[in-house]
Amino acid sequence: MRTKNRLQRLIQVRELPLLAFIVLLIIFFSITIKGFMTVQNFAMISRQITTVGIVSIGMTLVLVTGGIDLSVGAILSFAINIGGLLIIRGLPIAITYPFILLLGAIMGTINGLLIVWLKVPAIIVTLGTMNIFRGAIMIITRGKYMTQIPDGYLWIGSGYTPFVIFVILLVIFEFTLRRTRFGRNIVAIGSNEQSALYSGVPVNWFKILVYLLSGIFSALAGIIFIGRSGFIQPQAGIGYEMNSIAAVVIGGTSIYGGSGTIIGTFLGSFLMGLILAGITMLAVNAYWQGVINGLLIILAISFDTLRQMRRE
Amino acid sequence: MEGISLERRKFRLPISMVGLILFNVLLFIGLSILSPTFLTLRNMRSLMVRMSELAMLTFAQTLVLINGGMDLTVGSAMALSGTIAGMLFKVGAHPVIAVLGALVTGIVIGTLNGFLVVHLKIDSFIATVATNSILRSVVYLLLRGRVLSGFPKNYVLLGSVNLLGIPLLFVLVIVFAIILHFFLRKTALGRSVYAVGANINCAHISGIDTNFVKYFVFVASGLLSAIGGVFYTIRIGAMIPDAGLNSPLEVVTAALIGGASVKGGKGSIFGSLLGILAMYVLINGFNLLGFNPFWEVVLLGIVLITIVGQSSMKKVVKMSRASRRGRAA
C-alpha cells in the first residue's frame, strides 16, 4: 500500500516527464552523434548553461511571487561594465567581486522599491529599468570593449568551477524555497497576495528581497561571464531575460505565481543547453535553436494546463 | 441610443492626453529653437517616414494591450512578412502578389498567436515569447542570416512619394489611425475589445464572444505588423534579419506612454500615436543636438516608470481618501 502511494506520488511529480524527455534526448543524440557521450561534451554543456542558469534561479523566485524581471540581462551587463572599470585599473578581486555583486544588489533593490512604492506592475518597472541600465552602460563605457582582464578572473569561468557554483546555489535555493519561512512566504504571496498580507506576511519586504536576490544572481552570472569570455562587452546579457524566462517556464514554474521549483528550472536550462549542443554537433543550422525553444515553451505550458484540467 | 449620447456628453480629453500633447508641443518648440535643422521640411519628412512602420506596430500592440494581452511578435512578424514579400519579389512576383503574401503571413502569425492564447489558454506574454523566438529563427533561416535586397525600384520609390507635401507612408499611418480610432470607439466589436480587456468575465456574461474577440485582436495585430513590414521594405529597400528586434518593447513603451495599461481595458490609438511621435522626435532631436543617443533610452525608461507610476499613485491616493471618508461617515 505504502509503496503504491509512493509510486503514485512519484508519477505526479512535475519534473518526471521533463526528466524522461531529457533522457530520451540524450539517448537520441548519443546514437546519432559520434562523440556526444563524452565527458568533455557534458563539461562544455555544463559551462554553457551556467550563466543563464544562475540568472534563472533568481527569475524563478521572482516568478513564484507573481512578478517578472525583464532587467536581468541589463543588470548583468551594468554590473560587469562598471565593475570592469575597476578591474582594468588593476584592483584586486577581493574588491572588484564584492563591488560587482553590490551593484547587482543595488539595482535589484531599485526594481523592488519601485514595484512596491509606485505599485506599478513589475513588467513595466523592469522594462523601464532595463532601458535605463542599458542606456547608462552605453553612456558610461561609450560602447567600448574591455579586453585587459587579468588572468585571475578567468578561473571562475573555467573547468567545472561555474557548474559547481551553479549546483551549490541550486541546492541552497531548492531547500530555501521548500523548507524555509522565506520560501513558503513568497509562494503565499504569489498564490494570493491579499490573503498573504492579511495573514501577516510582510509582503513588501519579501518582494524587495526577491528582486534584490535576482539582481545579485545576475551580477554573479556576470562574474562568470567575464571568466568564460575573457573580456567585457556592453552587449553582454542581451536576451538573457527571455532565455531565463523560457528555462523557468519549461521547468514548470507558473508565470501567474504561486508555484515553481528550482529543480525544474535546472532541468529547463539543462534541456535548452542539451538541445543547443545537439544541433551544433549535428551541424544543423544553429538558427533552429529559436524554433525549438519556442516549441518547448508551448509544449511545456500546454502539458501543464492539460495536467491541471485532468486534476480538476 | 441614450447610452451613446450620455457618453458623448461625458467625453473629455483625459488629463494624460493633454499632458502628452503639451509634451510633444514643447518638444517641438524646444528643438526648433535649439537646432536650426530640426524644423526643416527635409527633417520633418524623414522623421515621418522613419516612424511609419513603428507606428503601425504601435497600433497593433495597442489593440492587444486594450484587450488585456501583450504581443511580443510584432517585430518578428514585421520582419517575416517583409522577408516573404522580398522572396516573392525575388521569384518575379507582381508587387500586388508580394504585398498580399506579406499580409497573409501576418494573418497566419496572428491566427497562430490567437490559437495559443484562446485554445491552449497560454498567457499571451509567454505565448508570444515562444512564437517570437520561432518567427525570428524562421527569418534567420529564410535569409540565411544575410540582408535581402533586390526590391523593385518602383516599389522602393513609394517611400519618397509625397501627398500634399506629406510622405505617402505617413499619410497611410494617419488613415489607419483614423480607421482604427473609429473602429474602437464606434463599432460593437471595437467596444468589446475594451470590454474583454477590462473584465473578461463580465464581458462573457454580457454575451460577448470573448474567444472571437481575442482571436480577432491577434489577427488584427498580425495584419498591422505585416503592413509595418511592407512599410519597412519600402523605406529601407531591403530586409535585414535583425529588423524589429527591439520593437516589441519599444512599441509597448509607446503605447503605455499613450495611456494604455498592461492590465487591459484602457488605451487609445491617438494616445499611442502621440507616444511613438514623442519617442521619435526625442531620438531625432538628440541626434541633431549631437547627444549620445543612449540618453534617449535612459529618458524613455524614466518617462515610462513615472507616467505609469504617477497614474497608479493617483489611484492609491484616491482609494485611501475614499476609505478615510468611509471611516469618518
Side-chain angles (χ1 to χ4, degrees):
Chain A
M1 219 30 214
R2 259 188 88 193
T3 49
K4 198 185 168 195
N5 268 343
R6 266 204 195 146
L7 200 69
Q8 271 178 344
R9 255 170 53 194
L10 202 64
I11 288 170
Q12 274 172 357
V13 172
R14 164 62 175 72
E15 286 78 20
L16 213 62
L18 193 57
L19 199 61
F21 187 62
I22 289 175
V23 170
L24 281 176
L25 207 63
I26 291 178
I27 294 172
F28 171 75
F29 280 145
S30 52
I31 293 169
T32 48
I33 306 167
K34 235 175 94 184
F36 188 83
M37 280 301 265
T38 56
V39 179
Q40 291 99 314
N41 187 36
F42 278 90
M44 191 202 67
I45 293 175
S46 76
R47 267 198 299 280
Q48 271 177 349
I49 64 172
T50 299
T51 35
V52 178
I54 288 178
V55 171
S56 304
I57 298 178
M59 188 67 85
T60 313
L61 300 178
V62 171
L63 285 182
V64 163
T65 63
I68 198 162
D69 190 350
L70 296 180
S71 69
V72 285
I75 290 180
L76 182 156
S77 180
F78 189 89
I80 62 172
N81 275 286
I82 305 303
L85 297 174
L86 300 187
I87 292 176
I88 53 172
R89 275 173 184 70
L91 269 78
I93 285 182
I95 293 173
T96 52
Y97 277 178
F99 179 69
I100 291 174
L101 293 176
L102 182 69
L103 283 175
I106 291 172
M107 282 179 291
T109 312
I110 291 174
N111 280 336
L113 287 175
L114 286 173
I115 289 164
V116 168
W117 277 344
L118 297 179
K119 302 208 181 304
V120 177
I123 188 169
I124 295 183
V125 167
T126 55
L127 176 63
T129 51
M130 176 178 92
N131 276 326
I132 295 172
F133 297 153
R134 282 255 174 240
I137 299 161
M138 295 305 280
I139 291 164
I140 295 169
T141 67
R142 290 163 208 279
K144 284 202 189 81
Y145 280 48
M146 296 177 210
T147 47
Q148 312 288 334
I149 308 294
D151 286 344
Y153 289 92
L154 303 183
W155 171 80
I156 202 164
S158 55
Y160 290 101
T161 328
F163 192 63
V164 169
I165 296 173
F166 185 31
V167 170
I168 292 172
L169 289 174
L170 284 169
V171 172
I172 293 175
F173 279 89
E174 174 69 25
F175 176 78
T176 310
L177 196 55
R178 275 181 203 265
R179 299 265 181 239
T180 64
R181 197 169 84 94
F182 168 75
R184 276 194 298 267
N185 280 341
I186 65 169
V187 171
I189 292 170
S191 36
N192 191 337
E193 198 173 317
Q194 283 300 319
S195 64
L197 191 67
Y198 291 144
S199 39
V201 176
V203 170
N204 287 349
W205 279 113
F206 279 122
K207 273 186 163 177
I208 294 171
L209 191 56
V210 160
Y211 288 94
L212 184 151
L213 282 171
S214 175
I216 293 179
F217 281 129
S218 304
L220 178 61
I223 287 175
I224 292 170
F225 184 94
I226 301 174
R228 260 185 56 206
S229 56
F231 58 84
I232 299 172
Q233 58 178 124
Q235 290 87 1
I238 284 183
Y240 272 40
E241 51 284 336
M242 292 308 165
N243 281 338
S244 58
I245 291 171
V248 174
V249 168
I250 290 171
T253 297
S254 157
I255 58 156
Y256 300 108
S259 77
T261 63
I262 302 288
I263 299 275
T265 297
F266 167 71
L267 291 177
S269 24
F270 186 67
L271 180 59
M272 286 169 73
L274 199 65
I275 291 174
L276 178 65
I279 57 178
T280 319
M281 292 175 87
L282 277 171
V284 177
N285 197 327
Y287 295 132
W288 280 103
Q289 167 85 11
V291 176
I292 293 167
N293 282 354
L295 289 178
L296 273 180
I297 297 174
I298 293 170
L299 253 168
I301 297 187
S302 316
F303 181 77
D304 277 348
T305 338
L306 217 75
R307 257 164 49 102
Q308 226 153 35
M309 268 157 57
R310 248 188 164 174
R311 206 178 294 157
E312 279 157 17
Chain B
M1 271 324 270
E2 219 179 65
I4 292 170
S5 65
L6 204 72
E7 207 174 304
R8 191 169 295 159
R9 217 184 315 142
K10 265 187 181 170
F11 182 77
R12 252 181 294 151
L13 216 52
I15 300 286
S16 58
M17 197 75 128
V18 176
L20 201 53
I21 294 172
L22 219 63
F23 180 71
N24 268 311
V25 170
L26 285 177
L27 210 57
F28 259 84
I29 295 174
L31 286 171
S32 317
I33 295 168
L34 289 173
S35 160
T37 38
F38 178 73
L39 207 65
T40 54
L41 198 59
R42 229 184 97 159
N43 186 46
M44 283 298 119
R45 275 186 188 150
S46 90
L47 185 67
M48 287 175 189
V49 173
R50 243 181 293 153
M51 67 176 278
S52 55
E53 82 252 2
L54 254 292
M56 296 310 292
L57 300 196
T58 311
F59 297 160
Q61 190 67 266
T62 307
L63 286 182
V64 183
L65 282 172
I66 291 173
N67 198 41
M70 196 177 276
D71 187 351
L72 297 181
T73 62
V74 287
S76 50
M78 174 182 95
L80 185 56
S81 17
T83 306
I84 297 292
M87 293 177 76
L88 287 172
F89 275 127
K90 263 264 152 78
V91 296
H94 190 270
V96 175
I97 303 289
V99 170
L100 269 178
L103 301 187
V104 169
T105 310
I107 291 173
V108 170
I109 293 168
T111 314
L112 178 66
N113 285 332
F115 174 76
L116 295 178
V117 171
V118 172
H119 289 297
L120 297 187
K121 303 202 188 313
I122 302 176
D123 177 84
S124 63
F125 176 80
I126 208 76
T128 52
V129 164
T131 40
N132 181 48
S133 166
I134 296 173
L135 295 173
R136 183 60 64 184
S137 296
V138 172
V139 171
Y140 281 122
L141 287 168
L142 288 176
L143 296 179
R144 295 197 182 81
R146 286 196 292 267
V147 175
L148 176 73
S149 51
F151 286 86
K153 231 184 192 161
N154 289 338
Y155 177 78
V156 178
L157 268 178
L158 284 174
S160 45
V161 169
N162 290 322
L163 223 70
L164 302 170
I166 300 169
L168 175 69
L169 291 184
F170 193 72
V171 172
L172 287 175
V173 166
I174 298 297
V175 169
F176 274 109
I178 293 170
I179 294 173
L180 286 169
H181 178 82
F182 276 97
F183 164 73
L184 281 174
R185 298 274 157 193
K186 300 290 174 198
T187 65
L189 185 56
R191 298 313 301 171
S192 44
V193 172
Y194 280 96
V196 170
N199 189 335
I200 187 161
N201 290 328
C202 200
H204 182 71
I205 291 165
S206 339
I208 294 172
D209 186 349
T210 54
N211 282 351
F212 173 76
V213 173
K214 277 188 176 177
Y215 247 114
F216 169 80
V217 161
F218 278 103
V219 172
S221 171
L223 184 60
L224 289 169
S225 308
I227 296 170
V230 173
F231 284 7
Y232 180 91
T233 52
I234 289 175
R235 179 171 77 86
I236 306 270
M239 197 66 223
I240 300 162
D242 277 343
L245 206 57
N246 286 326
S247 28
L249 298 183
E250 276 170 8
V251 301
V252 169
T253 310
L256 293 177
I257 290 174
S261 155
V262 280
K263 287 174 184 156
K266 271 176 29 183
S268 70
I269 290 295
F270 280 109
S272 296
L273 187 61
L274 287 172
I276 195 86
L277 184 70
M279 278 170 63
Y280 266 74
V281 171
L282 218 58
I283 297 173
N284 183 253
F286 277 33
N287 278 335
L288 292 177
L289 296 176
F291 284 167
N292 188 326
F294 292 100
W295 276 111
E296 175 258 335
V297 185
V298 174
L299 206 63
L300 215 64
I302 296 173
V303 168
L304 176 69
I305 294 176
T306 42
I307 284 188
V308 181
Q310 172 242 7
S311 66
S312 69
M313 276 314 266
K314 251 186 266 165
K315 224 177 288 161
V316 174
V317 171
K318 217 185 277 172
M319 257 157 55
S320 67
R321 261 190 214 146
S323 71
R324 227 175 292 149
R325 227 175 284 143
R327 240 176 282 148

